Amino acid sequence: MERNICDFLKRNGKCTALIISKELRLDKRTVNKHLYNLERSNQVFKTDEQPPVWDLMEKKNEIKQTLKPEQKSPTTRDTGEEKHVEDLLRSGALKARQIATGLGQSRSTINKQLYSMMEKGTVQKYSKTSTWSLTDDSFSQDSSDSCVEDYKLASHSELFEMITVLGDGGYGLVYEVKHKLDGKIYALKKVNLKGKADSEVKALAQLEHPNIVRYITSWPGPDIWPSNQQINQVSNKTYLFIQMEFCKGGTLTDWIKERNDLKKQRNTVEIHKIFYEIISGVEFIHANKLIHRDLKPDNILFGADGKVKIGDFGLVAAQTDQNGDPIERSKRQGTPTYMSPEQENKENYDEKTDIFPLGLIWFEMLWKISTGMERAQLWKDLRKQMFPEDFSDKYSAESKFIMNMLSGSPEDRPHAREIKENLETFFSLEQNLLSQKTI
């Protein structure tokens, strides 16, 4: 690898890491790592420009028979600069800012250069994508306008445009992104690639259900949108990216907050419909011998059609080992507020651990909690099966089921299948919802 980089610098002269990576079709971070290794062994050197320009050390002390910059004619200077732009564009169409970064020039300088080259017929610009390419590019105007030429050599990760950060936690980041080829919006999760990072992917791949977030694909790779600090560091860190459907309806947390802000009476039929869909998804998870382990309103979303979508399978685990025996588990895996008692202090537990947070969630959907202080006191009592004075009177049937779901002993809690059957039997739900089939 390092020999290839040295051979490239010998043939082409000084270049930035971006140009080298594009010409050799390597990841830029990999190229940077080898360049700094070569610098330590005194084989190459870099300039103080940002980004740095690299060249072979053997050339550093050579006496070159060239004119000083101020003595060069405009034609000579322009030709040299155009050569660098052309070299960069040979790897595919780029935006002006990408070219400016690659050559260590200002964007205004590069724009002037590009328009000058366009007048000469050397380059062309595609208005829809604001990208530039050489006029002898094999891609047609139509294909470039569909963004294909801009990304023909891009990695999988580079095919996404980040819109916003949806979530940020110890697990990593979730982005709302737009695919540059199909134009659709997706959720893209980035997690550290270590330990059992792939367990979430394996779970999502087998959980095809209308009430579970739909998995698209996944791949390992370097960071797509590093911070400024990370950009200036040489890193080979690899992440796991998980592409999923984007749930534009928001989270159950948003839904609960919105209902708490309303003064009108809560619609119990709507609540039971939503909770029925949650239970349907959990039943399917358990039927596939898995435990979610982090059920909470933040991880329950709504699709564009308003249907419930259970997400975030970062803590998913098998119910038993390959022999059907209990699995020894890490304590306190999950969100403390919704965590079952056994998740806090036991090393062995089964799928019933998911039923406890569901009891809390059902209560939270039914009962208005006005302030954080009220919630703090109420939550302590609720986890001990102690309800507000009026709750059991107002929701007599629900309170009985929730009481069982919040049992301190997992064996006293109902299975998800039983809860679903009780919802069908005792509560009003739309017929078309009940007719949905669970595969």
Side-chain angles (χ1 to χ4, degrees), residues 207 209 211-212 275-296 299-300 308-311 313 319 351-358 361 405 414-417 419-420 438:
L207 295 175
H209 187 273
N211 298 126
I212 294 174
F275 194 69
Y276 180 88
E277 293 186 3
I278 296 171
I279 285 293
S280 297
V282 173
E283 179 196 26
F284 190 76
I285 294 168
H286 292 175
N288 279 270
K289 307 300 182 184
L290 297 171
I291 312 173
H292 188 284
R293 298 205 298 175
D294 198 17
L295 291 170
K296 58 184 178 180
N299 291 340
I300 297 169
V308 164
K309 303 284 183 177
I310 297 174
F313 285 76
Q319 293 178 15
E351 71 275 12
K352 291 283 191 74
T353 200
D354 282 340
I355 303 302
F356 190 90
L358 289 176
I361 291 168
M405 294 168 71
H415 286 280
R417 181 190 67 257
I419 301 171
K420 181 179 174 183
T438 302

Side-chain angles (χ1 to χ4, degrees), residues 402-420:
I402 294 173
M403 181 76 74
N404 290 334
M405 294 168 71
L406 295 177
S407 295
S409 299
E411 56 268 22
D412 294 332
R413 298 174 204 148
H415 286 280
R417 181 190 67 257
E418 297 173 60
I419 301 171
K420 181 179 174 183

Side-chain angles (χ1 to χ4, degrees), residues 222-433:
D223 202 352
I224 312 176
W225 301 291
S227 64
N228 291 333
Q229 182 180 1
Q230 291 171 319
I231 290 173
N232 294 325
Q233 296 173 345
V234 179
S235 174
N236 275 337
K237 191 169 184 178
T238 301
Y239 296 88
L240 177 64
F241 293 93
I242 308 171
Q243 182 186 352
M244 301 168 285
E245 70 171 309
F246 174 63
C247 298
K248 65 185 298 183
T251 67
L252 185 61
T253 300
D254 302 326
W255 185 93
I256 291 171
K257 184 178 185 304
E258 182 182 327
R259 295 309 186 277
N260 283 343
D261 292 341
L262 295 176
K263 295 181 179 179
K264 64 181 182 180
Q265 184 76 16
R266 297 197 173 197
N267 185 335
T268 54
V269 174
E270 180 186 9
I271 291 169
H272 296 148
K273 282 169 53 181
I274 293 172
F275 194 69
Y276 180 88
E277 293 186 3
I278 296 171
I279 285 293
S280 297
V282 173
E283 179 196 26
F284 190 76
I285 294 168
H286 292 175
N288 279 270
K289 307 300 182 184
L290 297 171
I291 312 173
H292 188 284
R293 298 205 298 175
D294 198 17
L295 291 170
K296 58 184 178 180
D298 278 350
N299 291 340
I300 297 169
L301 306 103
F302 295 96
D305 57 0
K307 288 192 178 298
V308 164
K309 303 284 183 177
I310 297 174
D312 200 339
F313 285 76
L315 293 179
V316 70
Q319 293 178 15
T320 61
D321 64 18
Q322 293 179 343
N323 298 320
D325 297 324
I327 296 175
E328 186 174 309
R329 309 183 191 280
S330 302
K331 296 178 183 178
R332 301 193 65 79
Q333 286 287 314
T335 303
T337 312
Y338 292 90
M339 192 183 296
S340 68
E342 63 270 21
Q343 272 183 278
E344 292 183 331
N345 51 44
K346 290 187 179 181
E347 293 179 347
N348 293 321
Y349 51 82
D350 59 18
E351 71 275 12
K352 291 283 191 74
T353 200
D354 282 340
I355 303 302
F356 190 90
L358 289 176
L360 297 172
I361 291 168
W362 195 0
F363 174 90
E364 197 173 5
M365 293 170 67
L366 289 163
W367 194 251
K368 180 177 180 178
I369 304 175
S370 301
T371 65
M373 186 177 296
E374 178 188 350
R375 178 188 174 86
Q377 181 56 50
L378 179 61
W379 221 248
K380 290 180 183 178
D381 294 339
L382 191 59
R383 291 180 62 87
K384 298 175 184 177
Q385 297 175 291
M386 297 166 59
F387 298 139
E389 185 176 344
D390 298 335
F391 182 77
S392 296
D393 294 333
K394 189 171 184 179
Y395 302 107
S396 57
E398 291 91 340
S399 65
K400 293 174 183 176
F401 292 120
I402 294 173
M403 181 76 74
N404 290 334
M405 294 168 71
L406 295 177
S407 295
S409 299
E411 56 268 22
D412 294 332
R413 298 174 204 148
H415 286 280
R417 181 190 67 257
E418 297 173 60
I419 301 171
K420 181 179 174 183
E421 291 171 354
N422 287 329
L423 281 165
E424 294 173 359
T425 303
F426 295 101
F427 300 100
S428 299
L429 298 165
E430 287 183 357
Q431 188 59 38
N432 62 357
L433 181 71

